[in-house]
Structures are given as structure tokens and as C-alpha cells.
Amino acid sequence: MSMAPPAPQSPYMLEKRVERARHRARRVLWVESAWSAVQWPLGLAGGYALSGLLRIPQSLPDTLHAFLLAGVGGGAIALAARHLSRLPPPRRSAIDRRIESRSGLRHQPLAGLDDLPADGEETALWQRHMERLRASIGPLRWGWPLLHWTLERRIGWAGFALALLGAVILAGPAAPSRLEAAFLPGVDDIDVPLPQIEAWVDLPDYAPGAPIFLSRDTTPPPIPQDAKLTIHITGARSGPHLLGVDISDVGVKQLDPGSWSFVTRLSHSGRLSVRSRGRTIGEWNFTIEPDLAPEVSWKKPPSIATDNPEVVLPWQVSQAHGVTRLEAQISLAAKPALPPVDLAIPLKGEPKKAEGSFEADLTESFWAGENVTIRLHATSRSGRQANSAVEKLTLPSRSFHDPIARALVALRHRFGLDRETAAQTADELRTLAQTLPSGEKGSTLALLYAAAQLDDPLAERAKENTLGLCWAVALYLEDLRNTDRETAQANLEIRAAQKAVQDQIAHMQALGKDGHSEAEQLELATRMKRLREALDQRMQALMQRSMQLGSVIPDMGADDGSDPVSRLMRRLQSDAANGHSDDALKRLDDLSKMVERMRSATPQDLAQIAQQMQARMRAQAQKATLHDLVRRETTLLDHVQTRLGIGQRNARDAQQGQNQDVSTMSTAELLKRLGMAPPPDMDEPQSAPPPQPPVLSQEEATAQHEQRRDDHAVQRALQMVARLLNEDIKSLTGKTLEGLTKADKDMHSVRQALASVQDGPAESAIRKVLKDLAESGQQMSEAQKGKNHGGGPLALLPTMGTGNSAQGGKGKGDQHQADSDDDESEGDGGSKADRDPLGRKLGKGHSGADTDGTIPDADSREKAREIERELRRRDADRTRPQSELNYLDRLLKSY
């Protein structure tokens, strides 16, 4: 190393260069002298590294390993410090000689720089001498340290280097990890087996599903937010730890001295790793799907129904994991501080995406006729909530024609909105009570009781009771104006019973789990019974009125409890008892609509019921006729198959070998009968010629001829019946059944085959006829779904859940089809779902093949079982060829 002298040469610059060179030369000389002092500490550290390559320190327990490392490190440091502290500092003369020798300077010019004149006077000659001396000093160098080796040390270090090289070669690729593990206690090298890890993700409650199991190299699928990650580690020498994404609330538990368990929630996407003793034993990159709030909005602005005073709420909602609750929150525009009215909108289950239109009768609310704001409020399965935009609407009000009823409703409206005081309302109630006719003692007492409650400051729920009594009396007076007293009284009792049931359901819902007690369920059953009795009285009044008008009305109160009202009430009670309060309230709303139709029944409704019942009777007669056609065609098929069994069928079966004893068949033939191809090396014996069909006797031929003639006549009659049935169905439904049209053509083929004494083609044609009749049954069920075609609900029984559709793409009146527990059609007189002519359910797709149109071959399953038993018997026979036994073993292992 060197330093170029500055130009021009000056005493000051030369002095700086010399001082800098002396400083660096001093360090080089110190390193040369320190080398001998640190050789033993370096040898001690090298020996420890050599032992680490041989996995000696890391094989010790971590505590001993740490003590050993501390002892070696401390000893090396202490030994080096001791030797280095005893080193003398380099002398000035030695430093100058090192610079002069490395810089090629002669005559020791550095020593002359410090010379002075003998007489102390600097003459011109002395100055000239010093200038020449300075000029002779060129670039200064100090060189690299020269490490001095003795022979013994060279031999020692060479041996150590060879041992270290051998250890590195022996360790191979594991050498770096072994050195790391040797100098870091608590860290394992790659030669130590990784601990066993078991990891899985339990999906959150709002997104149920099977656990997702993870391996070390698994890329997990997208996981819902707040899923629970569980990790079990076995065989770890010390506690592992988690690193990576932002995880909170990690539960760590040591199961035993070598096992740990981690439980945490996954809230953010990112990489998560498990490290143990310096190594990664598991690493996954999680993609977390955030649990977003539901998306809820209006399909259309809220409006008023055209045919009734109901509020129509078109809605749509979606959420990735399902919506559990949807409600409309109605607030009074003039007083937004008042608590809103929450109107629950029923959903089918917990849909991920749904839309529909909900209709609600809010005329009973004292907000009727007021401007309100409405917004939708949705709650997801995870508890996330969202609101829609706010819409404005004027609530419809019910029209009353009775003057006292109108006055009561107006008073109720003002009092409910706090536009009148309790005292003013009590005075007006007394005045209205005095204006009632003398025969209406019940209504008069009700109004006076309401006024007395308002005057009593200690009365509980006086305002609520007053509002309810005013509404009940107003409805009663309106019914009394339009109907007779008995009908009005029956309607009043029905409303009271409905209110009692609704209050009990709300009470059970408020109690929570305690609401499922036997006492609460018994109380609900009692109130339901009271409602049923009130409905029965109303139905009896309707039937008496129908008889007076000369119409016939069906008895809706069947003794077996199979009528729509009874079924709906049973489901309502079951939902309330099982804690499904929302479903119970929805069914109560359906029941209220049904009861309202009963209360407001008119002579036109009775006439419509009579027409519907007539159409229903015709539809039932058509179904019975189709059922009889199937039965008689099946009888014809039995006759044809019986004749084939005596002659032609025996010949055909003999040709196919179906009657041959399986014990006499070859193994290849048995496999063919099971629909399997025998192996190429399996011998197939020559098949025997089919036996000749037996010859019929004269008596048998005569009997078959007479039976065939009778069958021909029956088939002609059935063909005429099928034509008449098709015409009758067309007159009822306006549609011709394609299945009956095809059956007419196939029946003609049956007649031709019977006339030409061909039972085989006749059998095939009859099978086609049966298939056509099965299709006709499905088509008939579709054609008879309308109210005027023998199906649909009666005039007094509206479609359950009208307008409360919770399915995408469904419109008004589809909710009853979405109810999972409504396995019976409400609009078909309590009949089951679509059925074939024999009363069996019709399937869809391939599931509909098991009908009268498919007649299975006799004994086919038993024949297959017999062949399987024979194959097992042959597999147990060890005297058979080994190749055949091996094949049978492989074949029968799958059974």
C-alpha cells in the first residue's frame, strides 16, 4: 500500500504524510505481533466448530449446550484478552524501519527528518541539506501484515485444516445448518427430523362446512373471515411459535412434554408460518374472504296494492353466507324520534340471494293515513347488519261507513299520535258510548271501561288497551252495519282469539328458552283451540247462509283435521313450541288472511266455491277414469303375458337360456348373464340349440282364441273411453292431453296385433299404452292446477303467504311452494303432490320412470342373486383351473 506525495513538496505536507504512514504501519506491526497471541483462542473456536460439524454440541440438552458454548466462547475471549494485553506497543524506530524498508528508502531518511544543527543555527547549507532530504522521500508504503509461522504451528494448523475439511465433506449440504445449530443453542440442524404437524381450519358458524385439513405444502382455498385455525405439533423439543399475518388472541396449550396446540382466528389474508427451533415446519398463504354486510335494496319503491289496502314492499337482499332476518322499519315522518315499527319479512331459510314482494295490512296501526318513511334492515348469519335507502309513503287507512265507527277510528288516531290528552279522549269515549243504540250494551261497556282506565293514573297499559278497544268496537260496528248480529259477533270473537294467539306467541318469544315450557305450550294450545272454535262457528254461519241462498258450500272443518285451516294451525303451534317465532308469526299472518276472507265472504264467493267444487269433482272423476284405464290395460297385459308363457314366451326364454339351471352353465355364460365380459382365456363351450316351443293342445288353443277375442273388444272399449276422457279434459281445462292422443294410436296397434293373433307385438304395444297413460297422469295434474280446472285454493282460502315470495324470480303467491314443511298442496283440497293414475308420486327426470309405463321383467333380481351365489360356490371350489379361480377372486372382492 502507498500514498503519493503531494506537489509541491512542503515540510508541512511531508510531515502529515509521514505521520499517516507511521500510524498505519503501527497497526500492521500490532497485527503481526497479535497473531501469535490469538492462535490459541482461534484454535479453541475452530475445535468447537469442528465438533459442531460432527453434531456433538447440538446433541446435548439445550442447557448443557448453552453452558458449553459459553465456556468455549468465554475461554477464547479471556485467553485472547490476556495475550493481547501483554503485547508491547511497536517502537518508533521499528515503525520507521518498516516504512523505509517497504518504501525502498535508503540511509534512513525518516530518522534525519528529526535532526537539528549541532550549533543550533540553521544555515543556508543546512536548509539545502534538509530540502534534499525531503526531496528524497517519495511515496511511503507500509505493506500487509506478515504472519510468522513456526514449524510446529504450521504442522498443527495444517492438521486442523485437514480435519475441518474432512468434517465439512462428511456433513455435505448440512454443514451450514450444523454450524448454525452448534453456535445457536435451541436451533436444530436439518439432520433432525421435523416435528409432526396437524393443522385444520374450522369454518365459522355463519359459513358451515367440513373442516379444511392442511399439510405442509397445501395451498388453502379461500376461507371465510374469522375461521378458526387449529395446529397440533408433536415431537418438538421446545415450544414452537407462530409468525406471519396479524393474528390476535392466539391460544397456546402444551399437551405433553413434546406436544403443543395453537388455536387462533383468521381475520386477514397473508402468510402464516410455524417455526420450531429455528426451522419452519409449516407455512401457508391464506386468502381470507371478508364477511361483508348484506346488500339490501328496493326492487321498486313501496306502494299500495290495487285490490286491497295493503302496503306492497318489493325487496331484494344478498349476502355471501346467507341472510337470517329481513325487516321493514317504518318511522313516522312527522315525529322521527318515535321508535320505529319493525315489520318482519319472512324468508325461506337463510338465502344467500333472494328477492320478492311482501304485502302487509297496516290499517290497524294508528299511523294509518300518515306519511311515513320506510327502510329495509337486513341481518346476516354472522350478525352483520345493513340498511337500504329510505323511501316515503302514505300508509293506507281502512274505510268505515258507520258514523260511530268512523268517530272511534278518528279518536284512536288522534290519541295514538298524542294529539289529544288522556282526559280529552276519556270524555269523547263517554260521549260516543251514549250515542250507541240501547241494544249494544257490550260496546257501550267497552268504551266506558276504556274511559275509566284513562281516568285511573295507576292503570297499567291504559293507552294500549284503549287503542285496542276502540279498534275492536269500530270493526264490530262496521260488521254490524253490513251483516247480521250473529256474524258480527262471530267476527269479533275470531279477532279476539287471533289477538290472544298473537300475544301468546310474542310472550313465548320474549321468554326465550323459557318460552318452550309445557305450561306456555299448553296456554298456546288453549288459545288455538278457542280460535278454532270461533272459526267453526263462523263456518256454520256461512253454511246456513249458503243454504238460504240455495248454494252448497263444502264443510271446511273436517273431522280428521286434514282441512287447510287445521293443517295451518298445527304448523303454527309446532313452530311456536319449537321456538321458531318468526315462522309462527308468518303462519299467523297467513291464518289472518284466511280468516279475513271467511269474515268477508259474499254470495258471489259462495257461488264461486260451488263452481270450484263442481270442477274439482269433474277433475277427480277424470283421474278415477284414467286410473281405471291403467288398471284394465294392466289386466290385458297380464292376459297377453300368460299366453306368451304357455307358448311363444317359453320359446323366447329358452332361446336366451333364462330357464337353464345355473349350476350347469359355464362360468363365461354366468358372467354374460351378469352383463360382464368374460376374460379372453376363459373357455366358452358350444351353446346347445334352443329347445323347440311346446305345441298347444286343441283346448288351450280354443281358450286362447276366445280370450284374445274378448281382449280385442275390451281394448276397443278402452280406446273409446280414452277419446271421451280427452274431450272431457279439454272442455274443463281447454287443453288436449298429448299422452291420451298417443295412447289412442297405440291402442289401435294393440287391436291390430290381437286381431292378427300376434301376442308378442301386442305385449309391446300395451307397454307403450301404459307409458302413454303415465305421461297423461302428469299432464293432467299440470292442466288441473287452476282454480277453474279443479285445483287451486277455494275462494275462502287464499294462497298461503301471498306476496311474501323469498325466492329470486318468483312473484306474488309463490311462497307456499317454498315452505319446506308444506308437503301438501293447500290449494288442491289437501291432496298430495303430483301423482300418477295409481296414486303414486310422479318423479322428475329419471325418477319418473317407475310408473305404470314400465313393467319390469319377472324374477330379474332373483336370477342375478342366484348367479352371484353360483359364482361364489365356484370360487370356493379349489379343484377348478387356477386362472378361473384367480379371476373369480378378483371379481368377488368388489362385493
Side-chain angles (χ1 to χ4, degrees), residues 149-171:
W149 301 80
T150 62
L151 180 60
E152 294 80 4
R153 290 183 177 179
R154 288 183 179 180
I155 295 174
W157 281 107
F160 174 75
L162 291 176
L164 189 62
L165 179 62
V168 170
I169 295 174
L170 183 63

Side-chain angles (χ1 to χ4, degrees), residues 38 122 130 132 193 216 334 360 493 574 612:
V38 300
E122 293 186 1
M130 294 302 295
R132 293 181 61 185
R216 288 188 174 94
E493 293 177 358
S574 175
Q612 285 185 252

Side-chain angles (χ1 to χ4, degrees), residues 774-884:
E775 295 177 358
S776 301
Q778 300 182 31
Q779 296 169 4
M780 181 184 295
S781 299
E782 292 292 331
Q784 294 176 351
K785 283 185 176 180
K787 291 184 178 181
N788 297 327
H789 304 153
L794 296 177
L796 295 183
L797 304 179
T799 302
M800 294 301 97
T802 300
N804 302 345
S805 175
Q807 291 297 315
K810 290 187 178 180
K812 177 178 178 180
D814 289 339
Q815 181 66 19
H816 70 289
Q817 298 177 3
D819 288 342
S820 59
D821 55 349
D822 288 349
D823 57 349
E824 299 172 343
S825 174
E826 299 288 348
D828 198 14
S831 63
K832 299 293 183 182
D834 294 342
R835 297 180 180 274
D836 67 3
L838 290 180
R840 299 173 298 183
K841 284 190 176 182
L842 293 173
K844 300 295 182 183
H846 297 289
S847 62
D850 190 13
T851 64
D852 293 309
T854 303
I855 308 298
D857 293 333
D859 301 332
S860 58
R861 293 184 178 179
E862 182 61 31
K863 182 66 68 176
R865 294 192 186 98
E866 185 179 355
I867 293 175
E868 182 183 346
R869 287 194 295 268
E870 177 62 22
L871 289 176
R872 292 188 181 278
R873 187 190 65 80
R874 295 188 182 188
D875 182 54
D877 185 5
R878 298 287 101 179
T879 61
R880 292 183 172 274
Q882 188 61 38
S883 60
E884 179 179 339

Side-chain angles (χ1 to χ4, degrees), residues 640-660 690-696 700 704 763:
V640 173
Q641 290 178 340
T642 301
R643 293 193 295 271
L644 286 175
I646 298 176
Q648 298 174 359
R649 191 178 180 187
N650 287 343
R652 185 183 62 190
D653 292 345
Q655 183 178 3
Q656 296 177 356
Q658 291 181 352
N659 294 335
Q660 183 180 355
Q692 297 296 326
V695 180
L696 299 177
E700 292 176 337
Q704 287 191 6
E763 180 190 15

